[in-house]
Amino acid sequence: MTRGQRASPAAAQGWPFLLPLLIILLCVIGYPLIRTLYLSFTDASLNALGIRPAWLGWDNYAYALTNPDFLLSLWHSTYFTVVSVALEVVIGVLVALLLNQKFRGQAFARALLILPWAIPTIVNATMWRWIYNPEYGALNALLTQTGLMGDYRSWLGAPSSAMNMVILADVWKNYSLVALIALAALQSVPDEIYEAAALDGVPIWTRFWRLTLPFILGPLSVAVVLRTIEAFKVFDIIYVMTRGGPADATKTASFSVYQEAFTYLQAGSGAAYANVMVLISALLIAGYLLLMKRQRAA
Amino acid sequence: MNRMILGLSLLLSSLSTVYAAPVTLHALFMKQAAYSEANIKDMTKAFEAKNPGVKINLEFVPYEGLHDKIVSSASAGSNGYDVVLFDVIWPTEFAKNGFLTDVTSRIPAADNTRVFSGAWTTVTADGKRYGMPWILDTKYLFYNKDMLKKAGIAAPPKTWEELQKQAAIIKAKKLVEYPIVWSWSQAEALICDYTTLLSAYGGQFYTGGKPAFNTGGGLKALQYMTGSLKSGLSNPNSTEYLEEDVRKVFSDGKAAFALNWTYMYAMANDPKQSKVAGNVGIVPAPGAAGVSQASAMNGSMGLGIPTGSPHKDEAWKFIQYLTSAPAQEQFATLSLPIWKASYSKPAVVKGQADLVKAANTSLNLMFPRPTIAQYPQLSTLLQTSLQRALLGSQTPAQALDSAAKAASRFR
C-alpha cells in the first residue's frame, strides 16, 4: 500500500474540494431519505395546519405488510419487473447481435436503436395508448387486417391483458438500453476466436453460449441491475396508460405509494410503503452483486 | 441562508414599491371538460386588462391530477397557488386539513338566492364556504337524432328501461354495433355515471352513517350497468374510457346514446371535430319507472384560495371576475352559468335552447356524492369494486357488499 500512503496528503488536500459536493448530496439525498424514514414511523398526514406528527413505532409497517391491496401491488411490480426485464434482455441481446454484423446501413440502424430510449416515458405511454385504442388503434387494425383476430378489442380495458400490454410498451422503449450496452460489449469480442470456432465446426448456439456470452456477461449484468431497479419502481407509464385499472390489475407498488401519500394524504403510511420498496430493491441489488461476484470467481 | 433570503426579499420588495411591480397570481385549472383552455385564457386577459396591477400565471393539468397537485402544493406551505379549481367532492377533506381559505364573509348575502343552491353545496363544508362555485355541471343524456329517426323512435327515452329498449331496436336494425357509450374507466368518471343511475333508482350512498349503496337503488344501478354490457347494448370499451373518449366515439357516429357533461353539446355539434354535428340531441338523464322522472348528479366545481396564498385579496378579485354573470354568460357554450337569471338571457340560450331546457330540469335534481373527508379512499374503493362487477369477476351484489364492508370505517 505504498501508493496509498503516498497519496494520503493529496487526499487530505482533496477533501475541501469535495466538501461542497458532499454537502449538496447530503441535502438532496440524505435529508429526504432520513425524513422519509422518520415519517414512516409517524402518523404524519398532508395538511396545512402545522400539526406535529405523533410517533407510532412499527405500526405503519405492520399495516403495509398486512394490507392485501399493497401486497397485491407489490406482486404487480414484481411481475412487471420480471417479465419486462427478461424480454428486454432477450430482445436487446438479439438486436445487438444483429447490429454487430457488417451490413449496409449498419451505422444508420445503430443510430435508430437509440430512438425509443430517447423518447420520454410520458410520450411513449401516450403513443402506445393510441396504438392500443379499441376503436382506432393500429394494433387492432393490424391484427384484424392480417386475419389474426376477428374483432377489435379493448386491450387496456380487460384485466387479463392490460398489464401485459403496458409491459410491451415499456419493453419497446427500454430494450434499446440493453441492446446498446450489449452492442458495446460485443465490440470487445476478438474476431479470431469466432473464425477458429467456425473452422472447427462449432454449432452457432454453442458459439454464442461459450464464446459470446462470457464476454458480454459483465456489462449485461450492469444493464440488468439498472433495468431491474427502474422497472421495480415503475410509475409514470402506469399513471398515463391505465391509472392502475382496470379493477386494480395494473396497480403497482409505486402507484400505491403515490395514492397513499397524495390521494389519501397519509404521508406516514405512504413513507412506510416506500421504504418497503426501497428494502426490496436493496435486496435485489445485493442479490445481483453476489451473483456477479460468484460468476467472476468461477 | 434565511438571512440571505430575507435580504433578497427586502431588496425585491423595496424595488417593487419603486416600480409598483404587478402582483403575480398562480392559478391552477384543468385541461378537459367545461371551459376550454382558450376560454380561460380569454377571461384572464379581460381581467388583466381591467386590473393592471395583477398578472395571472395559468397552469392547466388533467382532472386526474388536480386533487394531488392541490394537496401537495398546499401542504408544502407558501409559494403555492393563489387560485385553484376544486371539485365538489373535496371541500370536506380540504377544510379538515386546512388547505382552503374560508371565504364565507367575502360572499355578498344577496348572492345566496341568485345562485343555484346545488352550486352552493359545491363549495360548502360544515356550513362554511371555501370558494365560489364556477362550473355548474351534471351528466346529461346525449342522443343521435338521425339514428333515432332511422330506428323509428319518436322521442328520446324518459326512463333507463326505455333507453334499453330503444338501444335494442337500434342494435337490431344494425344502425350501430354498440348503441350506448359510457366513461367507466377506473376513475372518478365511473363514480359520476354510477351516481346518476343510483339517484334514478332512489338509492343512497349512506343512511344513518352506514354504507347503503349495496342495497336498493345502489345495487339496481350496478345491475343495470352490468346488464347493459352483457346484452351488448353498451360499448364494451367503456371500461377503459374517460369523458373525452366518450365524446370522440359519439362524435364519430359510433354510438346512439352517451352520458356526458355540458361541454360535449357544443363540441359534438361542431362540424370541425364531429361527424354528427347538427344531429345531437340532449335531454336530462332518464329516471326510473315509479321512482323518478329524471336523474342528475352534482358534478360542479368551484374556485378557492389556498391558505398559503400571500395575495388573497387579489385572488378573490380574480375569482369574483371569473364567476361573475357577464363573464359566464359570454362563455356559456362549454359550461353554463351559476346564476339563475342567466338562463333567460338571449346570449346564453341562443343556439343551445335544448341544452338550457335540459339544464333547467337537471340542475334542480343534482344528487350529491358522499361528503366525507375520506372521500378519495371511498371513491377508489368503489371504482375498483364497480369495475370488478363490470368486468365480470364478481356479481354486482358481491362487489358492492365487500365495498360497503370496507367503506364502513371511512369518515
Side-chain angles (χ1 to χ4, degrees), chain A:
Chain A
M1 287 314 277
T2 50
R3 202 166 161 248
Q5 275 157 6
R6 231 184 306 142
S8 61
Q13 278 175 359
W15 278 107
F17 294 103
L18 272 178
L19 207 63
L21 179 71
L22 286 177
I23 290 173
I24 291 173
L25 277 181
L26 207 69
C27 292
V28 299
I29 298 176
Y31 175 75
L33 260 180
I34 293 165
R35 176 94 184 146
T36 310
L37 199 64
Y38 161 74
L39 285 177
S40 71
F41 289 105
T42 69
D43 71 345
S45 73
L46 289 189
N47 63 62
L49 304 168
I51 305 168
R52 254 190 100 81
W55 188 261
L56 290 181
W58 292 97
D59 263 23
N60 286 329
Y61 289 93
Y63 171 69
L65 295 176
T66 52
N67 181 353
D69 287 345
F70 178 61
L71 295 178
L72 186 70
S73 71
L74 272 179
W75 159 244
H76 287 152
S77 286
T78 311
Y79 178 82
F80 181 93
T81 308
V82 171
V83 177
S84 68
V85 173
L87 284 174
E88 280 158 28
V89 167
V90 172
I91 298 172
V93 170
L94 286 174
V95 170
L97 286 171
L98 186 72
L99 291 182
N100 198 37
Q101 305 301 313
K102 290 187 181 67
F103 59 93
R104 277 182 69 149
Q106 181 209 37
F108 179 70
R110 283 183 184 180
L112 219 57
L113 177 65
I114 197 79
L115 199 70
W117 194 58
I119 293 177
T121 311
I122 304 291
V123 176
N124 183 50
T126 313
M127 189 178 87
W128 280 92
R129 253 190 83 89
W130 277 106
I131 293 175
Y132 294 151
N133 187 293
E135 315 263 351
Y136 320 100
L139 182 69
N140 276 321
L142 179 80
L143 292 178
T144 47
Q145 280 165 26
T146 51
L148 290 171
M149 200 171 72
D151 277 313
Y152 276 35
R153 55 177 289 193
S154 164
W155 298 100
L156 296 173
S160 54
S161 59
M163 183 56 116
N164 291 326
M165 298 323 268
V166 174
I167 288 176
L168 194 66
D170 186 68
V171 169
W172 182 81
K173 176 175 157 51
N174 287 314
Y175 86 89
S176 56
L177 176 73
V178 182
L180 214 64
I181 292 175
L183 185 61
L186 280 171
Q187 317 277 303
S188 70
V189 184
D191 285 343
E192 302 87 60
I193 58 168
Y194 281 113
E195 282 161 22
L199 280 176
D200 288 346
V202 179
I204 187 160
W205 176 246
T206 318
R207 263 185 276 165
F208 170 76
W209 202 245
R210 305 294 280 274
L211 296 176
T212 315
L213 200 59
F215 267 100
I216 63 169
L217 201 60
L220 205 58
S221 27
V222 173
V224 169
V225 172
L226 279 176
R227 283 302 312 143
T228 304
I229 300 167
E230 282 281 311
F232 192 70
K233 57 183 198 200
V234 60
F235 174 80
D236 34 15
I237 196 167
I238 302 277
Y239 186 81
V240 176
M241 291 188 78
T242 60
R243 290 174 317 281
D248 282 351
T250 59
K251 193 167 153 187
T252 58
S254 286
F255 201 88
S256 288
V257 172
Y258 169 80
Q259 203 168 45
E260 188 73 12
F262 296 105
T263 307
Y264 304 162
L265 314 182
Q266 305 295 321
S269 41
Y273 284 11
N275 285 337
V276 170
M277 284 189 66
V278 169
L279 202 70
I280 295 175
S281 289
L283 285 175
L284 281 174
I285 298 165
Y288 275 128
L289 290 178
L290 205 73
L291 220 73
M292 279 160 72
K293 215 173 161 187
R294 260 196 217 155
Q295 200 81 44
R296 233 172 281 148

Side-chain angles (χ1 to χ4, degrees), chain B residues 249-271:
Chain B
V249 170
F250 185 82
S251 297
D252 262 2
K254 290 186 171 182
F257 300 101
L259 210 61
N260 211 339
W261 308 105
T262 307
Y263 84 106
M264 185 162 105
Y265 189 69
M267 291 180 114
N269 266 321
D270 174 5

Side-chain angles (χ1 to χ4, degrees), chain A residues 48, chain B residues 74 77-82 98-101 305-312:
Chain B
S78 54
N79 295 323
Y81 299 105
D82 301 292
F99 293 142
L100 285 179
T101 311
I305 311 170
T307 39
S309 164
H311 307 296
K312 293 199 171 73

Side-chain angles (χ1 to χ4, degrees), chain B residues 95-279:
Chain B
K96 190 185 156 207
N97 293 295
F99 293 142
L100 285 179
T101 311
D102 176 359
V103 293
T104 316
S105 60
R106 290 182 190 259
I107 298 170
D111 288 355
N112 286 341
T113 52
R114 284 154 57 185
V115 170
F116 280 94
S117 63
W120 284 124
T121 62
T122 308
V123 295
T124 309
D126 285 333
K128 287 180 192 143
R129 287 177 184 162
Y130 290 91
M132 203 49 200
W134 188 41
I135 297 167
L136 185 59
D137 218 338
T138 186
K139 290 255 179 170
Y140 296 97
L141 181 71
F142 292 81
Y143 62 96
N144 185 316
K145 288 180 182 168
D146 195 39
M147 278 186 206
L148 260 63
K149 210 200 247 160
K150 277 184 191 153
I153 297 164
K158 289 247 164 48
T159 64
W160 288 104
E161 286 73 22
E162 213 182 315
L163 171 65
Q164 225 163 8
K165 276 179 202 143
Q166 295 189 1
I169 297 172
I170 290 167
K171 190 176 170 85
K173 293 204 168 166
K174 296 209 161 57
L175 293 167
V176 67
E177 194 179 0
Y178 300 113
I180 321 171
V181 63
W182 315 78
S183 49
W184 289 349
S185 168
Q186 184 163 329
E188 191 60 37
L190 167 58
I191 307 295
C192 295
D193 284 5
Y194 173 69
T195 305
T196 309
L197 277 154
L198 177 142
S199 83
Y201 283 107
Q204 291 292 333
F205 279 103
Y206 281 83
T207 43
K210 284 204 181 113
F213 49 78
N214 56 333
T215 58
L219 180 60
K220 274 187 196 151
L222 183 55
Q223 281 165 341
Y224 183 90
M225 290 160 79
T226 53
S228 82
L229 277 177
K230 262 186 211 141
S231 57
L233 298 177
S234 285
N235 191 322
N237 303 331
S238 297
T239 54
E240 69 164 285
Y241 280 168
L242 289 174
E243 291 92 336
E244 274 295 86
D245 304 298
V246 168
R247 178 174 76 80
K248 281 174 197 138
V249 170
F250 185 82
S251 297
D252 262 2
K254 290 186 171 182
F257 300 101
L259 210 61
N260 211 339
W261 308 105
T262 307
Y263 84 106
M264 185 162 105
Y265 189 69
M267 291 180 114
N269 266 321
D270 174 5
K272 272 187 220 133
Q273 47 187 332
S274 169
K275 290 182 189 161
V276 300
N279 266 320

Side-chain angles (χ1 to χ4, degrees), chain B residues 4 6 11 34 55 61 88 106-107 115 122 133 149 156 178 207 211 240 251 261 303 327 337 344 356 382 401 404 408:
Chain B
M4 218 169 88
L6 189 72
L11 185 75
K55 282 255 163 296
V61 295
V88 57
R106 290 182 190 259
I107 298 170
V115 170
T122 308
K149 210 200 247 160
Y178 300 113
T207 43
E240 69 164 285
S251 297
W261 308 105
L303 292 168
S344 51
V356 172
L382 267 175
D401 282 346
S408 56

